[in-house]
């Protein structure tokens, strides 16, 4: 088995993005942002005797009258309507607790899932007792945020056929701030696999299903072996996503696809090497910039 | 009584050689303006600080600080959901602080298990940090702060407080202000800011010096509030007031360095702005 070793060297930071107006105002906790009272305060700030002060270390963002500070590391803050990918951590009396990389575990109520078979009926005691047959601890699901509780916990629902338990595939965890908000988060990539870009930073890659099993209500998980070509595509995509995340490129279907195409000249395992990563991301950035410009 | 004649044994009673070391080899008190460690600082100067965030990739936030020979690393985990034990947890979060010394940190080898001194220091750390963190923004959650002292040259609590607040800021936990710590050693009439280990042990000649003690203070500079104050020793009231004042000034001198470190980390790691 061949192993690759390298000595540590100082790598120069390749600053690839054009706009460097990001030398905007950076603040630390306790810094006064403004003393003007006309502004509304957003996340990451607090009001201390007429002075708007930062409570986290990060960049100050101003949108009209709203000032907020975006910290460099966030947990996922859910909004209604977001698509998330989560893992079941607990099965409780009438609900499941789902871990979604946020401050508190999210809640998936029994009444918010589709019963297998797609029936519409009132949930009975037998449904409560057989909750573990539907979703167990450790299962991955895709769901949508229905509501946000007052303490910040999210309430999820899977009341559509595109949400539900996830079968075979690969999960990639990135920072939530890197996933771009778009109209749809489920994509069928032309390279041969499908992707779910969860807003909470969990990204799910899976082989495109052959025929849709519509009437199973989202609980049918195929356990047939996945072909080698599909596996290679998914592995390459996973490495590309990690490369993009390391260079802080926003993740959406086009950027992932461009990165995949730029990486075809390298072997899958080489994509994770720093210099190959830089080259691939640089090409992706150029293509994205060309497309916009 | 059978006596073992085959082995050569040492004396029945033995004492540690440390008792017999003459401690005059550690002359501490400064003559004039120089401190015992050969650096150029005066009695009211703090040691130059090296601080970096983001050391530990597994933890949510981490920081490393070096002040002279003192080396401290802090990791922050959280906020994590806790089970609701009682009503108080529902409204605001909980901060748990833990301070440990590595066995190789002091002159004498310590044990891995926490002793009483470490428990006291952990409590002091918790009390200093708690006023600075916006716990009401994290209901039902727990934030873990773990400080490990790798080498301790002088009182470590003040630097641990600074390191912990850097790590909390690196983790993105909301805080009202940074919390910085500083220590002053008062002996007789001299005050030494940010003392080293040898400056703290200065009663070796056996001569009892009156009016000696140490004061450790934690300050929130922008809000100008003291969040933690510890003192030990016997001091006069005026000396105590002067020591507290000296600590406050020391913290203000420390603030620009810490601010610069944090801004550097933010600049390096800032997520892309959504345009």
């Amino acid at each position: 088995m061949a192993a690759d070793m390298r000595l540590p060297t100082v790598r120069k930071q390749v600053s690839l993005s054009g706009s460097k107006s990001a030398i905007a105002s950076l603040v630390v906790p306790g810094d006064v942002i403004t003393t003007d009272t006309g502004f509304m305060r957003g996340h990451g700030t607090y009001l201390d005797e007429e002075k708007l002060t930062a409570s986290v270390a990060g960049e100050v963002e101003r949108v009209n009258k709203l000032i907020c500070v975006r910290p460099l590391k966030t947990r996922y803050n859910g909004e209604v309507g977001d698509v998330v990918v989560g893992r079941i951590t607990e099965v409780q009396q009438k609900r499941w607790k789902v871990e979604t990389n946020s401050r508190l575990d999210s809640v998936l109520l029994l009444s918010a899932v589709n019963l297998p078979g797609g029936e519409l009926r009132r949930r009975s005691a037998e449904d409560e007792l057989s909750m573990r047959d539907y979703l167990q601890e450790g299962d991955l699901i895709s769901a949508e945020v229905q509501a946000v509780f007052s303490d910040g916990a999210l309430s999820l629902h899977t009341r559509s056929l595109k949400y539900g338990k996830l079968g075979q595939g690969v999960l990639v965890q990135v920072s939530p701030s890197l996933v771009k908000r778009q109209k749809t988060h489920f994509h069928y990539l032309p390279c041969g696999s499908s992707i779910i870009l969860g807003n909470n930073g969990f990204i799910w890659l899976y082989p495109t299903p052959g025929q849709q099993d519509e009437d199973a209500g989202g609980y049918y998980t195929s356990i047939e072996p996945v072909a080698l070509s599909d596996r290679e595509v998914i592995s390459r995509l996973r490495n590309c996503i990690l490369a993009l995340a390391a260079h802080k490129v926003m993740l959406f279907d086009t950027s992932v696809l461009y990165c995949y195409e730029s990486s075809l000249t390298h072997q899958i395992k080489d994509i994770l090497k720093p210099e190959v990563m830089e080259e691939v991301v640089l090409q992706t950035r150029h293509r994205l910039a060309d497309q916009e410009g | 009584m059978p006596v073992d004649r085959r082995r050569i044994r040492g004396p029945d009673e033995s004492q540690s050689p440390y008792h017999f070391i003459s401690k005059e080899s550690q002359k501490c008190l400064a003559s004039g303006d120089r401190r015992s460690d050969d650096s150029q600082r005066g009695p009211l100067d703090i040691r130059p600080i090296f601080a970096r965030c983001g050391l530990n990739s597994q933890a949510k936030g981490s920081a490393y600080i070096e002040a002279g020979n003192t080396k401290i690393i802090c990791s922050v985990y959280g906020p994590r959901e806790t089970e609701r034990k009682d009503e108080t947890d529902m409204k605001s979060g909980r901060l748990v602080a833990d301070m440990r010394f590595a066995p190789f940190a002091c002159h004498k080898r310590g044990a891995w298990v926490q002793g009483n001194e470490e428990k006291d220091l952990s409590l002091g750390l918790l009390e200093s940090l708690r006023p600075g963190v916006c716990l009401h923004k994290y209901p039902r959650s727990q934030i873990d702060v773990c400080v490990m002292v790798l080498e301790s040259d002088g009182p470590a609590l003040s630097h641990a407080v600074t390191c912990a607040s850097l790590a909390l800021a690196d983790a993105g936990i909301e805080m009202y202000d940074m919390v910085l710590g500083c220590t002053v050693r008062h002996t007789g009439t001299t005050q030494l800011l940010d003392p080293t280990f040898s400056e703290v042990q200065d009663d070796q000649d056996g001569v009892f010096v009156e009016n000696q003690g140490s004061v450790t203070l934690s300050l929130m500079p922008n809000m100008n509030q003291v969040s933690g104050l510890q003192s030990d020793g016997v001091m006069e009231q005026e000396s105590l007031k002067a020591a507290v004042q000296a600590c406050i000034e020391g913290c203000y001198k420390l603030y620009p360095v810490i601010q610069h470190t944090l801004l550097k980390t933010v600049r390096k790691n800032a997520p892309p702005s959504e345009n």
Side-chain angles (χ1 to χ4, degrees):
Chain A
M1 190 181 80
D4 191 42
M5 274 176 56
R6 48 181 67 201
L7 294 174
T9 53
V10 176
R11 266 189 300 133
K12 59 170 180 58
Q13 282 281 2
V14 185
S15 63
L16 302 166
S17 72
S19 66
K20 262 314 160 189
S21 64
I23 327 250
S25 40
L26 303 177
V27 286
V28 295
D31 276 355
V32 176
I33 303 176
T34 177
T35 46
D36 191 351
T37 50
F39 290 105
M40 291 193 294
R41 51 181 191 82
H43 289 299
T45 60
Y46 69 94
L47 203 56
D48 171 39
E49 298 162 16
E50 309 270 321
K51 291 184 290 193
L52 196 63
T53 323
S55 60
V56 286
E59 255 183 83
V60 178
E61 275 192 356
R62 217 200 84 178
V63 180
N64 291 339
K65 286 276 184 192
L66 179 70
I67 290 192
C68 60
V69 181
R70 279 190 339 143
L72 29 80
K73 280 182 205 160
T74 43
R75 291 243 162 191
Y76 168 59
N77 287 320
E79 318 261 329
V80 177
D82 280 354
V83 173
V84 296
V85 170
R87 202 179 278 275
I88 309 282
T89 52
E90 269 181 63
V91 180
Q92 292 183 348
Q93 206 172 8
K94 267 196 200 133
R95 57 194 194 167
W96 290 273
K97 284 282 193 166
V98 183
E99 188 235 320
T100 53
N101 200 21
S102 40
R103 276 189 294 113
L104 298 168
D105 283 341
S106 311
V107 162
L108 178 63
L109 296 171
L110 176 58
S111 50
V113 303
N114 277 337
L115 291 168
E119 332 157 35
L120 299 169
R121 59 177 166 77
R122 210 183 159 81
R123 308 291 188 263
S124 63
E126 285 126 28
D127 289 320
E128 261 185 70
L129 293 171
S130 47
M131 274 173 77
R132 209 168 244 120
D133 295 336
Y134 308 155
L135 290 173
Q136 266 199 325
E137 285 95 337
D139 285 342
L140 277 170
I141 57 161
S142 66
E144 192 181 323
V145 177
Q146 185 177 41
V148 180
F149 290 119
S150 53
D151 54 12
L154 303 175
S155 175
L156 308 175
H157 77 91
T158 56
R159 275 198 161 287
S160 166
L161 294 166
K162 54 183 182 166
Y163 303 124
K165 186 153 78 163
L166 299 172
Q168 299 186 69
V170 170
L171 181 72
V172 187
Q173 296 182 354
V174 301
S175 163
S177 44
L178 289 175
V179 179
K180 189 168 176 171
R181 257 173 223 267
Q182 285 191 293
K183 280 219 305 241
T184 161
H185 289 261
F186 294 75
H187 302 281
Y188 294 125
L189 295 176
C191 47
S193 83
S194 308
I195 188 172
I196 303 181
L197 289 151
N199 284 97
N200 58 338
F202 286 12
I203 299 178
W204 179 250
L205 299 160
Y206 60 109
T208 309
Q211 288 150 345
Q212 296 291 25
D213 241 301
E214 292 291 325
D215 47 350
Y219 289 99
Y220 172 69
T221 50
S222 125
I223 45 173
E224 289 159 19
V226 178
L228 181 63
S229 53
D230 282 343
R231 286 175 199 249
E232 285 181 351
V233 167
I234 292 181
S235 308
R236 188 179 283 277
L237 273 175
R238 177 222 179 235
N239 284 354
C240 289
I241 292 178
L242 287 178
L244 289 173
H247 285 269
K248 310 268 190 284
V249 177
M250 293 299 282
L251 294 168
F252 51 106
D253 56 342
T254 319
S255 69
V256 172
L257 194 58
Y258 286 171
C259 193
Y260 177 85
E261 287 166 7
S262 313
S263 73
L264 283 171
T265 51
H266 302 277
Q267 282 203 318
I268 300 179
K269 55 186 159 90
D270 287 340
I271 304 177
L272 292 177
K273 292 191 188 156
E275 60 274 359
V276 177
M277 224 195 264
E278 277 176 11
E279 185 196 321
V280 169
V281 172
L282 195 59
Q283 285 178 4
T284 311
R285 275 220 167 103
H286 282 322
R287 274 185 78 179
L288 284 172
D290 288 341
Q291 191 209 32
E292 283 169 32
Chain B
M1 197 178 88
V3 171
D4 187 6
R5 291 178 209 283
R6 272 173 285 183
R7 281 176 267 250
I8 303 172
R9 303 207 304 176
D12 283 336
E13 271 191 21
S14 61
Q15 287 163 341
S16 160
Y18 284 113
H19 291 308
F20 301 105
I21 287 183
S22 66
K23 300 194 179 104
E24 297 140 16
S25 51
Q26 302 167 19
K27 274 284 180 255
C28 67
L29 282 191
S31 54
D33 274 335
R34 300 288 304 280
R35 303 286 289 269
S36 68
D37 49 349
D38 53 345
S39 58
Q40 301 291 327
R41 61 185 184 133
L44 288 177
D45 284 337
I46 53 177
R47 285 179 278 194
I49 295 252
F50 171 85
R52 282 288 181 271
C53 294
L55 187 66
N56 183 355
S57 55
Q58 309 272 31
K60 186 84 191 306
S62 56
Y64 172 72
I65 205 167
E66 264 188 30
N69 282 332
T70 303
K71 299 171 176 68
I72 299 182
I73 182 171
C74 175
S75 309
V76 167
Y77 297 89
R80 286 196 279 228
E81 183 161 352
T82 51
E83 302 102 44
R84 296 175 234 187
K85 294 272 175 60
D86 49 54
E87 285 304 310
T88 53
D89 279 352
M90 305 258 284
K91 300 287 168 47
S92 76
R94 209 171 4 167
L95 188 65
V96 173
D98 183 41
M99 181 159 166
R100 276 172 206 268
F101 283 77
F104 43 83
C106 304
H107 284 252
K108 259 181 67 166
R109 190 190 188 279
W112 274 113
V113 182
Q114 247 198 0
N116 287 327
E117 190 195 310
E118 285 171 342
K119 288 202 180 83
D120 280 339
L121 289 173
S122 304
L123 194 58
L125 180 66
L126 180 64
E127 283 176 352
S128 306
L129 288 176
R130 204 172 15 206
V133 179
C134 302
L135 287 171
H136 64 276
K137 296 248 173 115
Y138 298 103
R140 281 184 14 219
S141 307
Q142 176 173 311
I143 301 170
D144 286 312
V145 177
C146 308
V147 173
M148 167 77 96
V149 179
L150 298 171
E151 191 180 333
S152 133
D153 186 19
L157 180 60
S158 46
H159 295 297
V161 168
T162 311
C163 193
S165 51
L166 262 178
L168 282 168
D170 184 45
I173 310 262
E174 302 208 31
M175 299 200 283
Y176 291 114
D177 196 359
M178 305 289 291
V179 185
L180 307 172
C182 197
T183 309
V184 154
R185 172 79 185 167
H186 188 95
T187 315
T189 48
T190 51
Q191 261 188 6
L192 296 173
L193 196 63
D194 199 9
T196 61
F197 180 73
S198 52
E199 287 167 353
V200 172
Q201 317 281 107
D202 53 3
D203 55 348
Q204 303 114 5
D205 342 5
V207 178
F208 175 70
V209 184
E210 279 219 353
N211 197 24
Q212 69 174 354
S214 311
V215 173
T216 300
L217 180 130
S218 311
L219 176 78
M220 295 201 279
N222 284 317
M223 307 191 60
N224 206 17
Q225 287 181 3
V226 171
S227 66
L229 178 59
Q230 275 190 350
S231 89
D232 71 85
V234 182
M235 286 183 278
E236 290 168 8
Q237 188 188 24
E238 293 304 319
S239 327
L240 190 56
K241 285 204 303 199
V244 168
Q245 198 55 42
C247 277
I248 292 181
E249 279 161 21
C251 287
Y252 277 118
K253 283 187 206 168
L254 188 54
Y255 186 55
V257 180
I258 304 295
Q259 193 178 31
H260 177 78
T261 305
L262 207 43
L263 288 178
K264 197 162 152 178
T265 312
V266 173
R267 203 167 289 133
K268 202 169 71 151
N269 292 335
S273 42
E274 298 202 28
N275 295 345

